[in-house]
Amino acid sequence: MKEVLKRAGYRVTRQRLVIFEALRGTTSHPTAEEIYNMVKSRLPNISLGTVYRTLELFERLGVLQRLTFEGSPSRFDGNPKPHYHAICLGCGRVLDADEPVPEDIGRRFSEETGFEIVGYKLEFYGYCKECASKRRENENKG
Ligand code: ZN
Ligand code: MN
């Protein structure tokens, strides 16, 4: 991270490093507010605005990815490599879905139509293990 910041001409600050570490150390895909709560014990003077600006900087530098889901605030993923996500409709948590990501997805369509693809979205919706078993319990009761 230090190298990435330096190469891009940004100062290496404790705030930036702590925020980056927090993000790399979790697979929970936190929101900016959750990240703020994660780091504020180590950075007592930090503001939510600084966390937002730092996350925007990291996004520009390509060291994280922003996940946007309809009707909820952006979440941040310390893993910038392409991978899929599964969203639980019960508790709202976002899990990594370890499925192979095809490199040539959309290529045939693009070649046939001249449509220049810059991105695509694939998300799994459903219930995490805990929520699925709660739902089964409720069904059995009802
Ligand atoms: Zn759940
Ligand atoms: Mn992820």
Side-chain angles (χ1 to χ4, degrees), residues 88 90-93 127-128 131:
C88 178
C91 64
R93 81 173 91 173
Y127 296 92
C128 72
C131 290

